[in-house]
Amino acid sequence: MLIKALLVAVWAGICAWDQYGPHLGFRKPLLAGAVTGLILGDLTQGLIIGATLELMWLGVNNVGSYVPPDVISGSVVGVAIGILSGGGEATGVAVAIPVSLLVQQLDMLCKTISISLVHKADKIAETGDFDKIDKLQYMGGGLIFLSRAVPTFIAVFLGASAIDSIMAAIPASVMTGLTVASKAIPAVGIAMLLTMMLKKNMWMFLILGFTLTAYLNLPTLALALIGACFAGVYDLIMNNKQKESSVNKAATVSVEVEEGVEGGWDL
């Protein structure tokens, strides 16, 4: 059991690296759960529980600075406990939710610590000693790995009751503060996105999308397809303008060169 718990913990850490690195899709509940099931010798159950969690967390994404519940640890631990306990999907989902909420707080703590690493890297960059900056990168990556691997190992090795005990040990005032922050931060993230969209020529697309949704009741898929078409047209127009600008600049330079040759260069 110790070896299996370690392997599952390492897999959770690798999935966390994928979230901030190559983006190969390992962090998705379906793939994370499938490999967890393979490690524990029940790929079919891993796929079933992972697919269930994938549907449940389909709309969970980072918006601006908002940190959502950690679907990686929730998926890995949920699949592991669902398989080991024999409870299947119901147990997997029941365990995945508190685990994802607990690791959400650990993720916020790790990102807060990482801010100090960034400031330290800025100071080192002024000295030109870039080898030390590489070490800071490894430290940040190690924090991300451990933030998923450690709680996953504890949950798999000791069982779901260990997670419940940790949640119960956290003071109510701390949990209340984190809950309030988790509700306020999404508003900040959306405000950041709106600020970006209201710059230059982007505001018209925002108004168009709102109008199509609010007054024509178009579904999300239809709105996304229309947005893709407008994005393609906008891209073609901008590329043509850039090409025309480049041609005009080249023609201007050519004329200046010809005039200089005919009139003689003033050296």
Side-chain angles (χ1 to χ4, degrees):
M1 188 60 205
L2 176 62
I3 300 299
K4 289 183 178 180
L6 285 173
L7 290 175
V8 172
V10 170
W11 172 240
I14 293 173
C15 292
W17 277 344
D18 178 64
Q19 183 177 7
Y20 298 98
H23 294 282
L24 299 175
F26 297 152
R27 66 192 185 281
K28 295 295 184 181
L30 181 58
L31 288 177
V35 176
T36 303
L38 188 63
I39 293 173
L40 298 177
D42 194 344
L43 176 60
T44 302
Q45 197 65 26
L47 285 169
I48 293 173
I49 301 175
T52 304
L53 294 173
E54 181 80 46
L55 292 174
M56 184 179 74
W57 281 324
L58 195 60
V60 175
N61 290 296
N62 292 73
V63 179
S65 58
Y66 168 62
V67 179
D70 187 67
V71 300
I72 295 173
S73 56
S75 301
V76 173
V77 173
V79 170
I81 299 299
I83 292 174
L84 295 174
S85 66
E89 300 172 52
T91 301
V93 173
V95 172
I97 294 174
V99 171
S100 65
L101 292 174
L102 173 61
V103 180
Q104 177 191 32
Q105 314 309 326
L106 292 177
D107 189 29
M108 294 174 65
L109 178 61
C110 287
K111 289 179 177 178
T112 302
I113 296 174
S114 297
I115 294 174
S116 63
L117 297 178
V118 174
H119 292 312
K120 191 172 183 180
D122 291 337
K123 293 180 180 179
I124 295 174
E126 295 176 356
T127 65
D129 191 357
F130 298 107
D131 290 336
K132 292 183 179 180
I133 296 179
D134 291 338
K135 294 179 181 179
L136 293 176
Q137 295 279 6
Y138 294 132
M139 290 176 62
L143 284 174
I144 293 173
F145 183 91
L146 293 175
S147 67
R148 271 66 171 189
V150 172
T152 299
F153 175 80
I154 293 174
V156 175
F157 188 70
L158 299 180
S161 58
I163 298 297
D164 293 334
S165 300
I166 295 174
M167 294 290 288
I170 298 176
S173 57
V174 174
M175 292 301 297
T176 301
L178 292 173
T179 301
V180 173
S182 67
K183 292 179 179 180
I185 291 176
V188 176
I190 293 174
M192 292 171 63
L193 293 176
L194 290 176
T195 301
M196 179 186 69
M197 295 186 68
L198 291 175
K199 290 182 179 179
K200 296 182 179 179
N201 299 326
M202 297 293 107
W203 60 270
M204 62 186 74
F205 296 107
L206 176 63
I207 295 176
L208 176 63
F210 174 78
T211 303
L212 293 175
T213 303
Y215 294 97
L216 298 182
N217 296 322
L218 291 180
T220 304
L221 179 59
L223 191 63
L225 293 174
I226 293 173
C229 293
F230 275 97
V233 172
Y234 180 81
D235 186 62
L236 289 174
I237 293 173
M238 296 303 295
N239 285 335
N240 288 333
K241 286 185 176 180
Q242 290 178 358
K243 289 179 181 179
E244 291 176 0
S245 177
S246 299
V247 171
N248 292 334
K249 287 182 180 179
T252 302
V253 172
S254 178
V255 170
E256 290 177 352
V257 171
E258 290 178 358
E259 291 178 351
V261 172
E262 293 176 356
W265 294 101
D266 186 10
L267 299 177

